[in-house]
């Protein structure tokens, strides 16, 4: 199945490459505040100078703008398809980078980051697209590789900051999204989207392009088409129902509420685990702990390097162990280390002789541990848990949760650090992660090595045999092109 001579495998890798290019750009966007803020908050800043309040708005603008972006793009995701929406996301990011480069004022910078924020949903859309075209046994690994690409972008941003200024970094950052755009144009639409729209001939062509025509692929294709024929048949029977009533019924259905709750809690756990606020404020945090700007920059690069190593390890972990095992084992370890950060700073402050490196080392260890298991497992579960008919609304609602919590954490983290210290900040966020993991323990099903259709059937409580699939296909043999 992993043979490189298999053309369908190479095509899946091509889609992954496009998602990785987009993730590299996203990694640069998320790490960019640590570079930009260091420049515009510096007392020696000459080109542009900002207050701490203005800098926090620039850092959080991407998250808050993502709320509007999800309102715009996620409905299109289910209406016009994955391919055109992925193209729109990449074009939006490119425009944002161009505006950052030509910014002459703080207001212009905020507008540029808002435009980039509109494309925040590209992370979810690209992930869902990759999941829909990827074989079940590669899905977790592909999602982890995508996370490695994001960390590569972060490392690239922090590394370039040693030799370039923030404007020069913006001048080349658009190239990653441009590469992703070219790959999206080359590849066909997702077969799952065609099946959802009743375009079964197109679905079959796209599915064979991505998966080949083996017997196992044929069985998976039949399951996909039969499930959508069944759904479309039920939909036609209820066509006269008022649209608002249908929307409310959809949102209140168990097969939407349970995945939404799972995805939201997993997303909040990732947002508050330190993955993103550390990425955006790592330089400032290390400067406060160590007291040296240049050492802090190298610490930021060390953090990126450790995260990349952790993600490489996680490709083995997520391939070998169940999702639940990974999430809760590494989640508990991550929470404990967050509390240790708080304890280490408290003990260090009570000592007459300060030990500067203790808290930074615990922070780096926490980042490593959470990245090995908690973050990739949570992200993978989020992208595979929604049934096909709810995938647009699921991406929309989960995206709203992600961008809202991301924006809030990026906005309040500087204030929390000033009020409670770095240790207090980690401890408070640790309580948030603890709550999320506690609820997930009781509601999260296992998804490893299951097709997206099998996960959907389990959530809906449907048992679908091969005989049932063939009967549904025979009852409604007509196809659309």
């Amino acid at each position: 199945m992993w043979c490189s001579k298999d053309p369908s495998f190479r095509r899946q890798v091509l889609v992954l490459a496009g998602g990785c290019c987009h993730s590299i750009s996203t990694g640069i966007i998320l790490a960019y505040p640590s570079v930009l803020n260091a420049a515009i908050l510096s007392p020696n800043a000459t080109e542009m100078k900002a207050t701490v309040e203005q800098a926090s708005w620039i850092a959080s603008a991407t998250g808050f703008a993502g709320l509007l972006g999800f309102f715009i793009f996620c409905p299109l995701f289910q209406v016009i398809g994955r391919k055109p929406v992925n193209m729109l996301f990449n074009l939006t990011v490119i425009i944002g980078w161009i505006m950052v480069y030509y910014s002459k004022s703080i207001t212009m910078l905020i507008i540029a980051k808002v435009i980039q924020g509109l494309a925040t949903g590209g992370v979810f859309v690209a992930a869902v697209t990759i999941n829909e075209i990827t074989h079940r046994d590669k899905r977790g690994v592909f999602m982890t590789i995508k996370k490695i690409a994001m960390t590569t972008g972060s490392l690239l941003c922090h590394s370039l900051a040693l030799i370039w200024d923030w404007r020069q970094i913006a001048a080349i950052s658009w190239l990653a999204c441009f590469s992703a755009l070219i790959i999206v144009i080359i590849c066909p639409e997702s077969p799952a989207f065609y099946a959802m729209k009743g375009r079964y001939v197109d679905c079959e062509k796209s599915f064979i392009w991505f998966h080949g025509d083996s017997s196992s692929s044929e069985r998976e294709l039949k399951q996909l088409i039969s499930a959508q024929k069944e759904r479309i048949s039920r939909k036609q029977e209820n066509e006269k129902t008022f649209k608002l009533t249908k929307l409310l019924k959809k949102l209140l259905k168990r097969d939407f509420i349970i995945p939404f709750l799972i995805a939201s809690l997993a997303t909040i756990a990732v947002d508050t685990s330190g993955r993103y606020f550390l990425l955006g404020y790592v330089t400032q945090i290390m400067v406060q702990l160590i007291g040296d700007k240049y050492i802090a920059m190298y610490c930021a690069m060390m953090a990126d390097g450790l995260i990349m190593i952790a993600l490489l390890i996680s490709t083995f972990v997520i391939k070998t162990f169940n999702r639940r095992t990974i999430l809760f084992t590494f989640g508990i370890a991550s929470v404990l280390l967050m509390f240790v950060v708080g304890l280490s700073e408290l003990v260090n402050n009570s000592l007459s002789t300060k030990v500067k490196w203790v808290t930074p080392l615990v922070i780096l260890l926490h980042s490593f541990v959470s990245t090995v298991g908690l973050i990739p497992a949570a992200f993978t579960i989020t992208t595979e848990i929604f049934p096909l008919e709810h995938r647009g609304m699921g991406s929309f609602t989960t995206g709203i949760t992600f961008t809202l919590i991301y924006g809030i954490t990026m906005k309040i983290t500087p204030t929390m650090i000033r009020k409670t210290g770095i240790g207090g900040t980690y401890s408070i966020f640790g309580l948030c992660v603890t709550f999320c993991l506690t609820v997930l323990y009781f509601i999260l099903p296992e998804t490893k090595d299951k097709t997206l259709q099998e996960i959907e059937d389990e959530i809906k409580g449907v048992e679908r045999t091969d005989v049932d699939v063939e009967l549904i296909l025979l009852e409604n043999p007509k196809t659309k092109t």
Side-chain angles (χ1 to χ4, degrees), residues 17-224:
C20 287
C21 288
H22 182 84
S23 290
I24 288 172
S25 180
T26 302
I28 298 173
I29 291 171
L30 295 176
Y32 200 67
S34 67
V35 176
L36 179 61
N37 287 0
I40 62 179
L41 289 174
S42 172
N44 302 320
T46 55
E47 184 179 7
M48 206 181 299
K49 195 167 184 178
T51 65
V52 174
E53 186 69 16
Q54 288 173 326
S56 69
W57 276 116
I58 293 172
S60 59
T62 302
F64 290 127
L67 296 171
L68 177 60
F70 276 103
F71 274 101
I72 296 172
F73 289 114
C74 278
L76 295 177
F77 173 70
Q78 291 289 79
V79 175
I80 65 175
R82 284 54 166 150
K83 180 172 179 173
V85 172
N86 271 297
M87 292 169 63
L88 286 171
F89 277 133
N90 285 300
L91 283 170
T92 303
V93 174
I94 291 170
I95 292 169
W97 280 123
I98 293 172
M99 290 190 66
V100 169
Y101 177 78
Y102 285 106
S103 292
K104 301 296 183 183
S105 66
I106 297 298
T107 302
M108 190 69 172
L109 272 176
I110 293 176
I111 293 172
K113 298 304 288 181
V114 165
I115 288 175
Q116 286 187 333
L118 294 175
T120 304
V123 176
F124 290 93
V125 173
V128 169
T129 304
I130 291 171
N131 270 346
E132 288 182 345
I133 62 92
T134 303
H135 192 272
R136 74 184 86 178
D137 66 353
K138 305 187 192 80
R139 214 165 50 230
V141 175
F142 273 31
M143 286 297 99
T144 304
I145 292 172
K146 192 172 179 295
K147 298 294 288 183
I148 293 173
M150 188 180 295
T151 305
T152 302
S154 171
L155 178 60
L156 180 63
C157 183
H158 289 139
S159 301
L160 290 175
L162 295 173
I163 55 174
W164 287 355
D165 63 25
W166 60 270
R167 204 181 290 278
Q168 289 172 312
I169 294 173
I172 66 160
S173 296
W174 64 273
L175 290 171
C177 270
F178 181 75
S179 301
L181 180 63
I182 298 301
I183 292 173
V184 171
I185 292 172
I186 292 172
C187 294
E189 179 59 84
S190 163
F193 173 76
Y194 282 137
M196 184 181 65
K197 292 298 181 181
R199 297 171 60 179
Y200 305 123
V201 173
D202 291 331
C203 171
E204 184 176 355
K205 290 177 182 177
S206 177
F207 195 93
I208 291 173
W209 196 87
F210 285 119
H211 293 269
D213 55 0
S214 65
S215 58
S216 61
S217 295
E218 183 180 359
R219 181 174 181 273
E220 187 175 342
L221 174 62
K222 286 182 177 181
Q223 288 179 331
L224 172 64

Side-chain angles (χ1 to χ4, degrees), residues 337-347 359 362 422-424 426-427:
L337 285 170
M338 293 182 84
F339 292 137
V340 171
V341 172
L343 182 62
S344 68
E345 190 183 37
L346 183 65
V347 171
T359 304
V362 178
I422 292 169
Y426 267 82
S427 297

